[in-house]
Amino acid sequence: MGYNFAPLRVRSTAKALLDSRRIAVLPQWYDIVGDIPTSETLARPVLQAPRQKRSKKASKLFKPLPIVYPEDKLRSEFFGDHPWELARPRLVVEDSGNDAKGYDWSNIQQKGKQLDGESVVQRQMWLMKNRGKSKAAAYDQARREFYHHRHLNEIRTRIAKEEAMHVGAYFGKGPLEVGMELENKAWEDWKAWANQQIEEEQSVRAQMFSGPQNEDAGVSALSDAEYDNALTELAPMQANTPSSAAPRGGVPAHP
């Protein structure tokens, strides 16, 4: 790194300019710089721009590798078709942490495990590996078994609830009932607000209205003659023929 020594030689430079008659008078600071010289040995170093180093890509030595399992695509397909399965509560408690190693997926139902989307995925994988079925065929079979057992489970749950209610059990409101009550309350609040808005608008219009207030003011009353004619037209018509006259046409009546 180079340094610029010109500031240290500023007094001698001024004396050289005077001797060469480039300037007529010495600067006013000439004697002051001679009496009080600068205390720095190296003054005003020349700053050089640092060299730009080529940027190197970050090393991937410590970057974790993506963890991919063959079941990931099957899970994406199933939960994409059945998104509400993700809303069901799941039991994640295990006995030893290796409970999955003891499952036999030749059957979709496993002891100690609830039936869920993971059961369909594992059953599909087992059918693809051990039965040689295609991905679509294994998926269809696993879904049919899942629907069948889920339907049976819902029937058992409903029957158990009915039996419990028969012997006096009481169940609180379900999520659907609570949601309907909240929706009905919001609807009633909105209806009350709407009625209030309508009444206020009608009152404003009534204040702006300057016509006759009597609704029957524009209706003319009927005269007596018009009233009698209306009654005559509405009176039932009576037959002029005697009651013993036989009807004409049609099928003759049997005695």
Side-chain angles (χ1 to χ4, degrees):
M1 182 176 182
Y3 292 90
N4 186 7
F5 295 96
L8 295 177
R9 296 190 293 266
V10 63
R11 189 170 183 273
S12 59
T13 302
K15 184 66 171 62
L17 292 175
L18 180 64
D19 295 340
S20 61
R21 297 181 181 180
R22 292 187 178 182
I23 58 176
V25 182
L26 289 173
Q28 297 180 359
W29 46 262
Y30 180 81
D31 296 333
I32 299 174
V33 173
D35 297 338
I36 308 174
T38 178
S39 60
E40 295 182 2
T41 305
L42 302 176
R44 295 184 183 180
V46 178
L47 299 179
Q48 297 181 357
R51 296 180 180 178
Q52 295 182 356
K53 298 182 180 179
R54 295 181 180 179
S55 60
K56 296 182 179 180
K57 294 183 179 179
S59 177
K60 297 183 179 180
L61 179 62
F62 302 102
K63 183 178 180 180
L65 298 177
I67 301 176
V68 181
Y69 294 97
E71 294 90 344
D72 293 342
K73 294 183 178 180
L74 305 182
R75 292 190 185 98
S76 300
E77 182 178 2
F78 175 80
F79 289 109
D81 297 338
H82 309 80
W84 284 105
E85 283 296 321
L86 296 173
R88 287 180 174 268
R90 298 183 60 184
L91 182 63
V92 296
V93 179
E94 296 183 346
D95 295 334
S96 61
N98 295 322
D99 296 352
K101 295 182 179 180
Y103 294 153
D104 181 15
W105 292 109
S106 59
N107 186 11
I108 194 171
Q109 280 191 320
Q110 301 297 324
K111 185 178 180 180
K113 184 183 184 306
Q114 63 179 359
L115 187 66
D116 53 9
E118 187 64 23
S119 302
V120 178
V121 173
Q122 297 298 331
R123 174 63 173 165
Q124 182 181 359
M125 285 291 298
W126 189 90
L127 292 173
M128 293 170 60
K129 291 181 179 179
N130 297 275
R131 293 291 184 266
K133 292 190 175 183
S134 62
K135 179 180 178 181
Y139 182 58
D140 291 339
Q141 181 176 348
R143 280 191 302 114
R144 284 196 299 269
E145 296 176 359
F146 173 74
Y147 297 155
H148 175 69
H149 290 288
R150 178 60 63 81
H151 179 62
L152 295 179
N153 188 19
E154 291 178 355
I155 293 176
R156 286 193 293 266
T157 303
R158 186 177 70 250
I159 293 176
K161 181 179 180 180
E162 292 176 356
E163 292 177 350
M165 294 177 64
H166 179 71
V167 297
Y170 175 79
F171 295 92
K173 298 178 181 179
L176 295 179
E177 296 176 352
V178 174
M180 288 300 298
E181 288 183 357
L182 295 176
E183 185 176 352
N184 292 336
K185 183 178 181 302
W187 163 254
E188 294 297 335
D189 295 342
W190 178 87
K191 189 163 61 174
W193 173 83
N195 292 332
Q196 182 180 0
Q197 295 294 324
I198 292 174
E199 292 177 359
E200 293 178 357
E201 185 176 355
Q202 289 179 351
S203 63
V204 172
R205 290 183 178 180
Q207 293 176 2
M208 297 174 60
F209 182 68
S210 59
Q213 300 295 331
N214 188 6
E215 296 180 356
D216 299 334
V219 180
S220 60
L222 295 175
S223 61
D224 296 338
E226 293 176 349
Y227 182 75
D228 294 338
N229 293 334
L231 291 178
T232 304
E233 293 178 359
L234 295 177
M237 302 297 294
Q238 296 182 357
N240 296 325
T241 58
S243 59
S244 59
R248 297 180 180 180
V251 180
H254 295 281

